[in-house]
Structure formats: C-alpha cells, structure tokens
C-alpha cells in the first residue's frame, strides 16, 4: 500500500459495506488518520467477496463487452446451462443495462474501457503482496501465475481480442502446448491442448479470511465496526451527511458507498444514477480430495476458474443476469461441479458446497470510483464486477486521496 501522504485527523467518514472494497477503504482511511465507521448489515466479507476465485488478474484489461459476446446474447436467453444466462422473465428489468452493454462494444469504447481498467489494475499484484505482508498473512497469497486453457487453437482464437489487449498493455505471457500444460499442472485432462501462461499473476487463497484480516487491521487502527443495515443517506447543510441505520442517525463529513451490487438502493433516492446490474456468479467448493491444481487454472472455453483454496479446490464462474431478489439457481453451481469433475480426475466422490454471489457490474466493465457528481462529501466505490479483489487496494487509494484532498 502507498504510504500515508497527508493526515486526515478528525475527519469523520462512514464507509457503507464491508466487502473487500469497503474493508480496504476503511483500512486505508484509518491509516491516514480519519475517524472511520465501517457499516455492514452482515458479517464483514460475507457478500460477493466471500466466495470469489481470489485471482489477482492484473492483465484482465479486456472489458466484458467485447464484440464476440454480442453473438452470445440470443443464446443467453435460451440456455440455462450456458456460461451466460439471462432468465427471460428478467429481460425487461435488464434491458436498459443490456442496451448500454451493447453500445460498449464499439471499438473506441473498448479502447477507453481497457485504458481505464489498466490504470486501475496497475501494480495490483505488488500491492496485494505488500498488504498481506503488512497484515502478517503472506501465506494467503500465492504468486504462481495463472494458466488459461483452451481445447485447441480455434478456441484460443475466439479470445484473440483479449490477448491482443494484454499484449498492447505490456503484459507478458507464454503460449504452451499440451506438454507445457502438463509440466505445470499434471492433473489437467486431455480436453485441453493449448495454454496461455501469465507467470507473474497471483491468487488469494482464502478471500473471506483476507477481508476479515483487513477489517481487523482497520479496527485495530481505530475504525469502528457497526453491524447495521443502512436505510438512508441524507445531505445536510454545510456539506455534512446523515446516515440512518436501525433507529440511529449519525452525522459524518464524508460518506463512501461501497455496498457492492446493492449500492443503487442507497444512491437512487439521492438522484445519483448508476448503471449497475448484478452478474450472479456461483462457486462449488470441494471439501478435501486431491489438490488437482496448484495455481489459478482458467478453463477459458467454459469460463470457469479452478483455484487451490486453503480449504479445498474451488471452481467459480458463470454469469447469470437475474437481479438481487431471486433465489440462487443452484443448478448453475452443479454445472461448475460437473465441468470440474470432467476436467480433473479424482473429484467424483468428493463432497462439495455451493455458493452464489452478486458481482456489481457496470455496462462497460469500468468500476465507479470517486466523488458523486454534485454531492460534495459523497463518494462511490462500486461496479468492480469480476475484478473486485484485484482492484480493491487501488480503489482504496483513490478514495482516500479524494477524501483527504477534499478535506484540506
Ligand atoms: C464466482 C465469482 C468469482 C469471482 N472471482 C474473482 C476473482 O478471481 N478475482 C477478482 O478480482 N474478483 C473476483 N470476483 C469479483 C469480486 O468478488 C467482486 O468484485 C467483489 O467481491 C466486490 O466487492 P464489494 O466489496 O464491492 O461487494 P461485496 O463483497 O458484495 O460487499 C458489499 C457489502 O455491502 C453490504 N451492504 C449492502 N447494502 C448495505 C446496506 N444498505 N447497509 C449495510 N450494508 C450493506 C453487504 O452486506 C456486503 O457485505 C468474483 C465474483 C464471483 C461472484
């Protein structure tokens, strides 16, 4: 993490949401002298940050809305077993977001999004190495690279745009044949013949424990942890803000909305419009059994991340645009289990748990990080989509810099 450049002694800041984003912001602001209240209705880290794949994917500069994705939209509506699914009944609700998503596939918008993502991702691996050391948990981060797998050259070509963007932004990777794949990960089944290896990428081996350690560091440094559901944020005179939770209202100099996929519920009443949709993702976690991978392995044709977590192999992925209210469709987690068992031998009899989380997604993939226009003292930190673990520290730096500059 960057060293404190200016102190914020006495500034009172509410950070709403104790996922990886809010946790990092609270820790960062506390280190820089702010009086922080970190407010979450749930145990910190139990939202989307709980069950993700932990990949610190600094080179993922290609937005979701690449031209090839457009061709898959009709299939999204039809196939509940596909990697992308939109239940037809949710289409009218998703339509405005989808329309923006489609216009984000214009070449100039892809270039602009990639540049914004590269700027936010910059230095992510080094920043997480430094933070895990500072927290005294260096073992939670493994820098063993990420291996992306394809059945053949044709499948790799479908992702050519994303690899070209990685190259353009200066990321190093190596193409591997079957022998190269097996040399790194001997358990990979014969379906996969072509690999792309990003040697310097890293993985957090227990995202939930990581968030909890960051929250603890914040509270050891003086942040107050409040377990309450925030119902309303209200602007007051003299650029102060009132935050209402339970039967309490409290006044702050600054409020940071880091409430993940739920952020619109707090911002809409203030007239602050975000284009945010939940991309529901699932994981299946194998409890024990063989360690079939030793690093993040991406089954790229099926959009599944297989990760060696501290507590067993986790297979995460799939996108379901179905909103915040419907119950999880655990058949989608079952699909991840089937794909993982098909790819790696030895998991057939191993018990597993299933989980669903709400990725907060913008149409152009670029997170919303900064001041809420026209609302001095109100800050937004959400929309991190598939890359919230990766971008958490850069986000915290940007928000802390903004709050401190505004305070001086
Ligand atoms: C299957 C899957 C795999 C993923 N893999 C990766 C990966 O490998 N690498 C990566 O970088 N990212 C990954 N992600 C994305 C990453 O998990 C998210 O971007 C990130 O967790 C978002 O963090 P957040 O803090 O914004 O949201 P959350 O973790 O959801 O936190 C938001 C918090 O706000 C709280 N909250 C909401 N409303 C209120 C309210 N009104 N009052 C009080 N509290 C409130 C919630 O309780 C919650 O704790 C993955 C996601 C999924 C689903």
């Amino acid at each position: 993490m960057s060293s404190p450049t200016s102190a914020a002694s006495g500034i009172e800041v509410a950070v709403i949401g104790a996922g990886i984003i809010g946790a990092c912001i609270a820790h960062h602001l506390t280190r820089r002298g702010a009086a922080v209240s970190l407010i979450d209705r749930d145990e910190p880290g139990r939202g989307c940050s709980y069950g993700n794949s932990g990949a610190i994917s600094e080179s993922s500069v290609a937005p979701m809305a690449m031209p090839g994705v457009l061709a898959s939209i009709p299939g999204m509506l039809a196939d509940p077993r596909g990697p992308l699914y939109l239940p037809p009944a949710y289409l009218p609700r998703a339509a405005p977001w989808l329309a923006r998503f489609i216009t984000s596939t214009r070449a100039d918008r892809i270039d602009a999004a990639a540049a914004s993502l590269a700027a936010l991702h910059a230095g992510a691996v080094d920043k997480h190495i430094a933070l895990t050391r500072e927290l005294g948990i260096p073992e939670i981060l493994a820098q063993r690279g990420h291996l992306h797998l394809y059945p053949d050259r044709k499948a790799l070509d479908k992702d050519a745009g994303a690899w070209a963007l990685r190259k353009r932004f200066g990321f190093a990777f190596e193409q591997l044949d079957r022998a190269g794949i097996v040399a790194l990960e001997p358990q990979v089944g014969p379906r996969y013949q072509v690999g792309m290896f990003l040697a310097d990428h890293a993985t957090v081996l227990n995202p939930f424990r990581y968030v909890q350690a960051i929250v603890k560091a914040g509270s050891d440094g003086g942040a107050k942890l409040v377990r309450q559901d925030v119902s309303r944020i209200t602007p007051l005179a003299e650029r102060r803000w009132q935050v209402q939770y339970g039967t309490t209202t409290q006044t702050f100099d600054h409020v940071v909305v880091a409430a993940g996929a739920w952020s619109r519920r707090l911002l809409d009443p203030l007239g602050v419009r975000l284009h945010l949709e939940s991309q529901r993702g699932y994981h299946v976690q194998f409890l024990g059994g063989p360690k079939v991978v030793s690093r993040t392995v991406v089954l790229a044709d099926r959009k599944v991340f297989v990760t060696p977590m501290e507590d067993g192999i986790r297979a995460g992925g799939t996108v379901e645009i179905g909103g915040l209210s419907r119950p999880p469709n655990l058949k989608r987690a079952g699909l991840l289990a089937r794909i993982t068992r098909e790819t790696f031998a030895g998991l057939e009899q191993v018990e597993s748990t299933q989980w669903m989380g709400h990725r907060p997604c913008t149409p152009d993939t670029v997170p919303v990080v900064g001041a809420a226009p026209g609302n001095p003292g109100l800050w937004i930190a959400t929309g991190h989509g598939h890359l919230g673990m990766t971008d958490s520290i850069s986000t915290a730096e940007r928000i802390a810099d903004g709050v401190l500059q505004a305070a001086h």
Side-chain angles (χ1 to χ4, degrees):
M1 282 187 141
S2 66
S3 60
T5 50
S6 52
S9 177
I11 305 173
E12 290 173 313
V13 187
V15 178
I16 304 171
I20 186 67
I21 301 297
C24 279
I25 293 169
H27 178 223
H28 220 85
L29 278 167
T30 303
R31 289 164 88 241
R32 292 171 74 169
V36 175
S37 294
L38 176 60
I39 311 171
D40 201 302
R41 60 188 173 208
D42 209 340
E43 185 185 14
R46 282 278 170 193
C48 190
S49 304
Y50 176 81
N52 64 61
S53 299
I56 306 302
S57 302
E58 203 170 318
S59 71
S60 292
V61 294
M64 280 279 285
M66 293 292 276
V69 171
L70 280 190
S72 63
I73 288 182
M76 272 169 71
L77 289 161
D79 183 4
R81 286 158 308 155
L84 295 171
Y85 180 55
L86 198 164
Y90 192 71
L91 181 58
R93 289 282 302 278
W97 186 95
L98 264 185
R100 286 175 184 272
F101 178 81
I102 289 166
T103 55
S104 303
T105 58
R106 269 182 23 197
D108 57 331
R109 296 198 181 174
I110 289 175
D111 283 351
S116 301
L117 290 170
L120 193 59
H121 298 347
V125 172
D126 288 343
K127 289 176 189 187
H128 284 280
I129 290 172
L131 178 57
T132 54
R133 284 187 185 148
E134 181 194 321
L135 298 175
I137 51 168
E139 75 289 349
I140 207 168
L141 191 81
Q143 193 180 13
R144 297 188 205 119
H146 293 177
L147 177 62
H148 292 240
L149 297 176
Y150 298 88
D152 51 34
R153 191 61 230 205
K154 216 168 119 203
L156 171 63
D157 286 347
K158 285 192 188 158
D159 274 354
W163 290 104
L165 278 174
R166 283 187 170 95
K167 194 166 176 188
R168 198 191 324 153
F169 282 91
F171 293 100
F173 50 84
E174 186 188 353
Q175 186 169 337
L176 303 176
D177 59 11
R178 173 76 194 162
I181 292 171
V182 175
L184 285 176
E185 294 293 344
Q187 311 295 324
V188 173
R191 174 186 178 90
Y192 292 103
Q193 299 292 325
V194 179
M196 298 294 268
F197 185 49
L198 295 139
D200 52 3
H201 281 31
T203 304
V204 175
L205 302 175
N206 189 332
F208 179 53
R209 181 161 85 89
Y210 192 33
V211 178
Q212 295 227 314
I214 298 166
V215 170
K216 181 172 182 308
S219 65
D220 288 350
K224 190 172 142 208
L225 195 56
V226 180
R227 179 96 178 252
Q228 290 283 353
D229 191 1
V230 174
S231 52
R232 188 202 285 256
I233 306 170
T234 314
L236 300 174
E238 293 168 3
R239 301 186 160 208
R240 303 252 302 160
W241 290 86
Q242 202 171 61
V243 174
Q244 192 173 329
Y245 50 83
T247 53
T248 304
T249 43
Q250 206 183 331
T251 304
F252 295 92
D253 300 307
H254 296 265
V255 174
V256 183
V257 176
W262 298 271
S263 297
R264 275 191 58 182
R265 290 182 178 169
L266 295 168
L267 294 169
D268 281 356
L270 295 167
V272 177
R273 297 275 170 249
L274 278 195
H275 301 286
L276 198 67
E277 193 44 82
S278 164
Q279 289 190 7
R280 297 146 55 108
Y282 291 79
H283 86 212
V284 59
Q285 174 107 19
F286 295 94
L287 308 171
K291 280 247 167 189
V292 294
V293 293
S294 63
R295 54 172 61 74
T296 292
V297 172
V298 184
L299 312 181
D301 57 328
R302 295 165 132 180
K303 314 225 177 309
V304 178
F305 278 59
V306 186
T307 322
M309 290 288 162
E310 285 179 340
D311 41 3
I313 295 293
R314 175 175 295 175
T318 91
V319 167
E320 181 188 40
I321 301 179
L324 293 166
S325 314
R326 302 164 175 258
N329 172 4
L330 291 176
K331 283 189 187 147
R332 294 189 65 74
L335 186 75
L336 294 170
R338 180 173 63 69
I339 290 171
T340 313
R341 289 189 169 115
E342 269 171 26
T343 308
F344 302 96
L347 294 171
E348 298 79 9
Q349 306 303 325
V350 180
E351 251 185 86
S352 60
T353 55
Q354 299 172 322
W355 170 88
M356 188 269 283
H358 293 284
R359 301 183 188 96
C361 293
T362 60
D364 65 358
T365 313
V366 180
V368 184
V369 178
N375 288 278
L378 181 66
W379 303 84
I380 304 173
T382 188
H384 293 80
H386 294 236
L387 290 164
M389 291 300 285
T390 305
D391 288 334
S392 49
I393 300 175
S394 300
T395 296
E397 289 170 353
R398 287 189 185 185
I399 294 290
D401 286 348
V403 168
L404 292 171
Q405 269 162 25
H408 285 287

